Amino acid sequence: MGRTIVLAVALLAAALLTWLQLEPPRPRPADAPADRFSAERAMADVRIIAHRPHPMGSPANQAVRDHLLRRLTELGLSPEVQAADAWMQREGREPMLAGGRVENVVGVLPGRDRAAPAVLLMAHYDSVPGSPGAADDAAGVSAMLEIARALQAGPQPARDVVFLLTDGEEVGLLGARAFFGEHALARRVGFVVNLEARGGSGRALMFQTGPGNAETVRLFARSAVRPMATSLSQFIYERMPNDTDFTVPAEAGIPGLNFAFVGRPFDYHSPTATPERLDRGSLQDLGVQALAATRTAVDAEALPAAGGNAAYSQLAAWLIAYPPAVGWLILAGAALLLLVAAARARRLQAAATWIDVVQGAGALLYALLAAAALLRIARRATGVEFAYLEQFALFAHARLFEAALVVIALAAALYAAAALARGKTRIEAAVIPLVAGLACSLFGGFDAVGAGIGAGAAVLALVTFGRPASLPGAWAGVLALGFLAACAAQAAAPTAAVLLVWPIALAAASAALVALAAVKSFVDTMIAAVVAMLGLAWLGPYLHLTFLALDAPELLAAFAGLTALFVWPLAHPRIGGGGRLTSLALLLIGAGLIAAVRFTDPWGEHRPQPASVAYVHDTTTRRAFRVAQAGADVAWARQVLTSDGGAISRRALPPIFRDPVAVAPARWLEPQAPAASLATGLEGAQLLTILPPAGARSLAMEIRPTVALNELAVEGKPTGLSAPAGQWTRIRWVGDRDGLTIAFRPEGSGALELRYWSADDDWPAGAAPLPARPARVMAFGASGASMVAGARQLSW
């Protein structure tokens, strides 16, 4: 019972330390010293920029642009507007091209040496449709304006500071592509600081750098204030499909830092992302980190150059960085500490055998697989689908859901230790993950992955838990397997290996100090508890950010394994079943929390249910539909659908909605449709022209030619993209334009199938108006838009 109490205190202390690390700083007031960053001063701009949704190409976005021009003029930065057509493209089975007319706002704070490479601060001022974008990215834009003011309050910077407020980031990084591809200042940029957000709160995370980041990380370490940064996030982000404006200069080889605060996912790209809900502390943290990094870069004798990469992580109030090869030295030290621990335990004549060691390794593997099976069934048992809008039910219960997953992962780690100490528990230990894995198939059909994980854990239980194992031997096996995993990570991905290398080194130090817990003593118990508290507190932010970034709770099983490294000497009782009962009780608590997530109504005035409706005209069939892309089960959305008396059904409406959506017949309103024509240009080039109806904010098309189309150019600009024969190529334009011309050279005579549609943000004037929306429902994304689609066959 004594060790259980000590373990509980250590876990609670680790949770408290984690919370303190994740808590943003207090916002500075508007009367803070002039050279300091003040979130309250920045909020004045947030309130103007995020007054309403302002997607690219909208009148609201043009009003934001004008405000930024006024503010940069007030700051003496001589702003200019860079207007340009910009495109992003994606090749593959269905090539895609997305573009628009962007209007970047650019200002310069002159430095003492105008010829030196400049430092560029960047944030985007457009929002997604339907969201005011107070966090993403009005916070970043407003922080930049406050940083400009703070820099001017100090001495003149050593080099120029360029302020780039981009347009069209949400469409495809269009503003950044236009600036770095065409603007003269881009050639002078030597370092980039980008400001972003994902959610409405949280600490500012430095989650990405430019290539060859060793010098960049050293610069950041000199300036960072309570940093949140790890080379693991850099490793993961490089392999994810997510992009920010920073992607463009990073791909061009320009060093820099990418910051974003991450938290409260319900407010990400949501109508609830209002200035009132924005966490001022998060804005303060973002501004302080970016201002410090900018000042350090501006005054550096030389800006960082691309070279080798660094392994790094936050540790308390510091950033620890080193060349990746140093990880091997840390592992060598861990190996030496493990040998010292084993030697000390042997001198104390601890009763441990090689079988105990093997059982300990098996128990750690069991903890990993059992946690994965339990976490997988926990996610499925919530009843929430994995599509983005469906996840808002989990976002509304984010804290409760995270607590449930943490408790379940902890229960798996503690149960493995207790079951191995008790022995003769292999049937029970096998049944728990096996039932969890098989139960995954109760939600959405047979789940081979869940069943496989559960079966693997069951096999390990049958092999491992047949006899009790001594604490020194079992913990030695746990640490040995953890050491091998850290070595494998260090060999495969040295910059990401910090998540394993640091914990195994700390756990090995604990084992050496207490001689693998060979002798039960108060001092050794307290040492193990303090080390466990410190290790888990360091892991806490990693666990939290993994939960926020990825809807894949099974990944949290890794933290169950890492937790086992530290808590094993406290969770492995020598006799009796107290630890086992404690872990089973935790598992029941986790199940109760999951039940609360499933059966508690997540919606309310502060977290309204998303719904998205649209009015669609298909000019090919001369039929109209009311559509609910999301929230079809919401009474308000059903009222919208049935306003013209039609019955609701589910069907696809290509080319706009490829997957089935809720639709109901609507009145035909004689809309103005896009017009398409094909003409022959110079040297046999074909010119496809689409004329959008008046007021359309976006225009999209799909083309499927009978022969390959080469040298695609949009408005005279080559795209480098080809349209393969027999495949759909998708093209989208955002922003006001009289027409869109696409030139191509076909590989001979042929034809193309053309599907096209336009959209504007307003409900059709001739339709029955939208009913009043209750406070518990929010119009998400482009809800309320009217769309007009058509199709043509064109030949040459």
Side-chain angles (χ1 to χ4, degrees):
M1 181 60 69
R3 288 197 179 194
T4 301
I5 294 174
V6 171
L7 174 60
V9 171
L11 293 174
L12 291 174
L16 176 60
L17 290 175
T18 297
W19 177 79
L20 291 174
Q21 292 176 82
L22 295 173
E23 185 69 5
R26 291 183 178 180
R28 282 187 173 267
D31 59 356
D35 62 343
R36 302 293 179 89
F37 185 93
S38 163
E40 291 301 333
R41 283 193 289 250
M43 280 302 301
D45 288 304
V46 172
R47 293 184 186 98
I48 295 173
I49 296 169
H51 175 65
R52 55 180 171 167
H54 48 283
M56 175 187 170
S58 67
N61 205 40
Q62 294 168 2
V64 172
R65 175 206 62 197
D66 293 342
H67 170 73
L68 297 177
L69 286 170
R70 287 192 297 270
R71 289 286 287 117
L72 290 179
T73 300
E74 292 170 0
L75 291 167
L77 302 184
S78 304
E80 65 175 38
V81 174
Q82 180 201 11
D85 291 342
W87 296 90
M88 65 84 64
Q89 64 187 56
R90 183 181 68 219
E91 299 183 9
R93 188 174 61 181
E94 287 193 354
M96 185 189 76
L97 201 64
R101 184 74 171 174
V102 297
E103 294 185 312
N104 294 331
V105 179
V106 186
V108 179
L109 176 62
R112 296 191 300 274
D113 184 355
R114 302 301 307 276
V119 173
L120 180 139
L121 276 83
M122 180 166 57
H124 68 90
Y125 71 85
D126 62 311
S127 73
V128 296
S131 174
D136 183 16
D137 193 23
V141 171
S142 302
M144 278 180 53
L145 296 174
E146 171 66 2
I147 288 171
R149 187 209 54 74
L151 289 174
Q152 287 185 317
Q156 184 180 15
R159 62 185 75 241
D160 286 359
V161 184
V162 179
F163 294 85
L164 172 60
L165 304 168
T166 65
D167 189 12
E169 192 270 355
E170 299 292 0
V171 176
L173 320 182
L174 302 185
R177 296 181 194 278
F179 178 84
F180 286 99
E182 301 180 15
H183 203 288
L185 279 174
R187 295 189 293 272
R188 294 190 50 222
V189 173
F191 193 80
V192 176
V193 177
N194 189 57
L195 305 184
E196 263 287 359
R198 185 180 177 89
S201 67
R203 288 292 313 279
L205 174 69
M206 195 288 287
F207 65 98
Q208 187 185 15
T209 69
N213 63 19
E215 291 187 13
T216 298
V217 172
R218 281 198 292 271
L219 180 146
F220 175 60
R222 294 199 303 269
S223 68
V225 181
R226 286 182 63 214
M228 290 290 290
T230 168
S231 49
L232 176 63
S233 68
Q234 167 86 4
F235 178 85
I236 293 174
Y237 197 81
E238 288 176 346
R239 288 154 180 79
M240 292 177 66
N242 306 54
D243 284 314
T244 68
D245 276 340
F246 187 79
T247 300
V248 179
E251 289 179 346
I254 302 175
L257 301 167
N258 202 1
F259 292 94
F261 55 81
V262 182
R264 201 190 299 148
F266 195 92
D267 292 338
Y268 181 58
H269 284 180
S270 169
T272 59
T274 62
E276 293 73 27
R277 287 177 61 89
L278 177 64
D279 189 324
R280 272 67 163 171
S282 299
L283 177 58
Q284 181 71 35
D285 199 20
L286 182 70
V288 165
Q289 300 291 350
L291 175 59
T294 301
R295 277 186 167 139
T296 303
V298 163
D299 294 330
E301 184 175 340
L303 292 174
N309 286 315
Y312 56 92
S313 177
Q314 71 270 1
L315 182 64
W318 304 279
L319 185 78
I320 307 300
Y322 52 82
V326 172
W328 289 113
L329 297 179
I330 298 174
L331 287 172
L336 180 61
L337 289 169
L338 290 175
L339 291 174
V340 170
R344 290 194 62 203
R346 189 167 185 177
R347 280 202 304 270
L348 294 171
Q349 298 181 346
T353 67
W354 282 108
I355 296 178
D356 293 340
V357 175
V358 172
Q359 283 182 278
L364 178 58
L365 283 175
Y366 170 84
L368 289 168
L369 290 181
L374 292 166
L375 292 168
R376 190 175 182 87
I377 184 59
R379 172 62 178 86
R380 280 152 178 75
T382 63
V384 177
E385 299 293 333
F386 285 85
Y388 176 66
L389 286 180
E390 279 72 15
Q391 291 178 17
F392 270 77
L394 284 184
F395 297 161
H397 282 317
R399 290 183 178 178
L400 187 63
F401 185 47
E402 183 178 13
L405 297 180
V406 169
V407 168
I408 289 170
L410 177 62
L414 298 181
Y415 181 84
L420 188 58
R422 187 169 187 261
K424 299 179 182 180
T425 56
R426 54 186 176 185
I427 301 301
E428 177 187 270
V431 167
I432 293 173
L434 182 60
V435 169
L438 294 175
C440 292
S441 299
L442 297 176
F443 306 94
F446 179 65
D447 182 7
V449 174
I453 294 173
V459 170
L460 281 169
L462 295 175
V463 172
T464 302
F465 298 124
R467 61 178 287 275
S470 68
L471 173 53
W475 193 19
V478 168
L479 294 173
L481 182 59
F483 177 79
L484 292 176
C487 289
Q490 177 67 27
T495 58
V498 290
L499 184 62
L500 295 178
V501 170
W502 291 24
I504 194 63
L506 183 60
S510 176
L513 288 171
V514 302
L516 286 172
V519 176
K520 183 177 181 180
S521 73
F522 175 79
V523 172
D524 285 355
T525 298
M526 296 308 299
I527 290 174
V530 170
V531 172
M533 175 192 68
L534 296 175
L536 296 180
W538 182 79
L539 287 171
Y542 280 89
L543 185 152
H544 177 67
L545 292 171
T546 301
F547 166 78
L548 289 175
L550 302 168
D551 185 18
E554 300 89 341
L555 295 178
L556 301 184
F559 293 94
L562 292 169
T563 296
L565 298 177
F566 298 111
V567 304
W568 204 275
L570 303 173
H572 183 113
R574 296 173 184 274
I575 57 173
R580 170 178 154 272
L581 295 177
T582 299
S583 58
L584 291 176
L586 285 174
L587 190 58
L588 289 176
I589 292 172
L593 294 175
I594 291 297
V597 171
R598 182 180 181 107
F599 297 111
T600 301
D601 184 5
W603 313 119
E605 292 187 9
H606 296 293
R607 293 181 176 84
Q609 186 173 5
S612 181
V613 298
Y615 205 105
V616 177
H617 286 90
D618 185 345
T619 59
T620 305
T621 62
R622 287 190 61 82
R623 298 179 65 189
F625 302 91
R626 291 169 175 263
V627 177
Q629 186 180 8
D633 58 335
V634 179
W636 174 80
R638 298 181 72 84
Q639 184 181 357
V640 172
L641 290 176
T642 57
S643 292
D644 287 330
I648 300 173
S649 62
R650 289 193 65 83
R651 55 172 291 189
L653 290 177
I656 304 176
F657 301 108
R658 295 183 168 192
D659 297 323
V661 292
V663 302
R667 287 194 304 118
W668 182 261
L669 301 174
E670 297 296 341
Q672 182 185 358
S677 63
L678 186 66
T680 301
L682 297 176
E683 299 180 0
Q686 297 297 311
L687 304 177
L688 173 62
T689 301
I690 308 290
L691 301 178
R697 192 178 63 83
S698 64
L699 178 67
M701 69 189 79
E702 297 178 343
I703 57 175
R704 183 165 63 180
T706 58
V707 297
L709 309 182
N710 300 319
E711 301 180 29
L712 261 69
V714 179
E715 293 300 313
K717 288 188 175 182
T719 66
L721 196 66
S722 297
Q727 296 183 23
W728 289 107
T729 296
R730 307 174 67 186
I731 301 172
R732 181 186 178 211
W733 173 269
V734 178
D736 187 19
R737 194 180 189 91
D738 295 335
L740 189 64
T741 299
I742 300 167
F744 57 85
R745 295 187 181 277
E747 293 183 355
S749 300
L752 63 80
E753 184 179 354
L754 171 66
R755 304 192 300 200
Y756 52 94
W757 69 98
S758 64
D760 64 53
D761 298 328
D762 298 322
W763 195 250
L770 291 171
R773 192 177 65 252
R776 287 170 51 89
V777 177
M778 62 180 174
F780 199 89
S783 183
S786 57
M787 305 177 181
V788 183
R792 291 280 304 275
Q793 293 282 344
L794 302 171
S795 61
W796 56 90

